[in-house]
Amino acid sequence: QQQVKQSPQSLIVQKGGIPIINCAYENTAFDYFPWYQQFPGKGPALLIAIRPDVSEKKEGRFTISFNKSAKQFSLHIMDSQPGDSATYFCAAGEGGSEKLVFGKGTKLTVNP
Amino acid sequence: GAVVSQHPSRVICKSGTSVKIECRSLDFQATTMFWYRQFPKQSLMLMATSNEGSKATYEQGVEKDKFLINHASLTLSTLTVTSAHPEDSSFYICSAKDPPYEQYFGPGTRLTVT
């Protein structure tokens, strides 16, 4: 029940494409859903996060879509660039808890 | 976003020695910090949660006597790998919580035990 299932495991798109990464959760107590971007040999960087009171949030080229009834959320990257090639992790947290539960990650490759 | 630093970025040590890794929140006070371990091409494995001024809470299967965590101030937490062995070689990453929700990661420390 504490798991966050992330798919796909890897994704290859052409420059300008819109990669979509999906995550699903079971614990209805989760109320915070961040996405992290990690480059090889670096720590994850907080990209964007959403609370369940909204269904969509945009920051620059990154958009989170959230479906509370389906217990799913996804990351869309508009006009993807080769520099977006990285591993992306979704996570979920519960307000009263300190911990985040992470998905297994998606390796994104954006070809020139 | 908030900045978390980690030192050192890379360390090589001999088997049987101890290594200390520092994690600092540079522009905010973090009452809670976390230590993760990451194996190649895998997700983040939470090792322990550290609260300022109290004992760390370790995840199941993590040896607390091997991985000593100290959170002495609101901006500093340390992880000491005691009597390191080659199987402890890994990428260790800390994170700090900027209340109420955001968690920011450090750049990581690559530990190699020879």
Side-chain angles (χ1 to χ4, degrees), chain B residues 10-69:
Chain B
R10 286 180 176 272
V11 57
I12 300 173
C13 70
K14 293 188 183 298
S15 187
T17 62
S18 295
V19 173
K20 180 185 282 188
I21 303 170
E22 290 188 351
C23 177
R24 293 180 185 273
S25 57
L26 297 186
D27 50 4
F28 66 101
Q29 293 186 328
T31 54
T32 305
M33 290 185 171
F34 306 88
W35 287 95
Y36 293 84
R37 185 171 179 176
Q38 188 176 37
F39 293 100
K41 299 183 180 180
Q42 291 193 22
S43 190
L44 302 153
M45 185 187 82
L46 179 65
M47 299 174 65
T49 300
S50 155
N51 288 293
E52 186 262 340
S54 62
K55 289 185 178 181
T57 301
Y58 291 83
E59 294 299 300
Q60 193 171 8
V62 177
E63 299 176 61
K64 58 182 177 182
D65 293 332
K66 167 169 270 300
F67 300 100
L68 300 179
I69 292 171

Side-chain angles (χ1 to χ4, degrees), chain A residues 34 36 38 43-44 91-92 98-103, chain B residues 6 21 23 32-39 42-50 59 62 67 69 79 81 88 90-97 103-106 108-110:
Chain A
Y36 288 86
Q38 186 180 28
E98 303 285 1
K99 296 189 289 188
L100 290 176
V101 178
F102 283 87
Chain B
Q6 239 178 286
I21 303 170
C23 177
T32 305
M33 290 185 171
F34 306 88
W35 287 95
Y36 293 84
R37 185 171 179 176
Q38 188 176 37
F39 293 100
Q42 291 193 22
S43 190
L44 302 153
M45 185 187 82
L46 179 65
M47 299 174 65
T49 300
S50 155
E59 294 299 300
V62 177
F67 300 100
I69 292 171
L79 168 69
V81 183
D88 298 324
S90 193
F91 191 51
Y92 293 88
I93 319 173
C94 71
S95 71
K97 188 169 183 177
Q103 201 175 123
Y104 297 96
F105 283 84
T109 296
R110 173 75 57 193

Side-chain angles (χ1 to χ4, degrees), chain A residues 20-38:
Chain A
I20 301 173
I21 305 170
N22 301 297
C23 285
Y25 63 97
E26 289 294 324
N27 186 352
T28 55
F30 286 147
D31 62 355
Y32 175 66
F33 304 91
W35 285 90
Y36 288 86
Q37 178 190 58
Q38 186 180 28

Side-chain angles (χ1 to χ4, degrees), chain A residues 12-106:
Chain A
I12 301 174
V13 299
Q14 292 299 120
K15 178 182 173 182
I18 306 176
I20 301 173
I21 305 170
N22 301 297
C23 285
Y25 63 97
E26 289 294 324
N27 186 352
T28 55
F30 286 147
D31 62 355
Y32 175 66
F33 304 91
W35 285 90
Y36 288 86
Q37 178 190 58
Q38 186 180 28
F39 294 104
K42 306 293 183 184
L46 179 60
L47 203 54
I48 185 173
I50 197 168
R51 300 286 313 282
D53 51 344
V54 296
S55 60
E56 186 177 276
K57 183 175 181 180
K58 291 183 181 181
E59 285 188 6
R61 296 185 293 108
F62 300 93
T63 299
I64 298 180
S65 296
F66 183 79
N67 186 327
K68 189 174 181 178
S69 60
K71 292 183 285 186
Q72 295 176 347
F73 58 109
S74 60
L75 176 70
H76 303 231
I77 306 176
M78 306 300 178
D79 186 28
S80 59
Q81 301 296 313
D84 296 328
S85 297
T87 299
Y88 292 81
F89 293 96
C90 65
E94 185 181 337
S97 168
E98 303 285 1
K99 296 189 289 188
L100 290 176
V101 178
F102 283 87
K104 292 188 181 296
T106 296

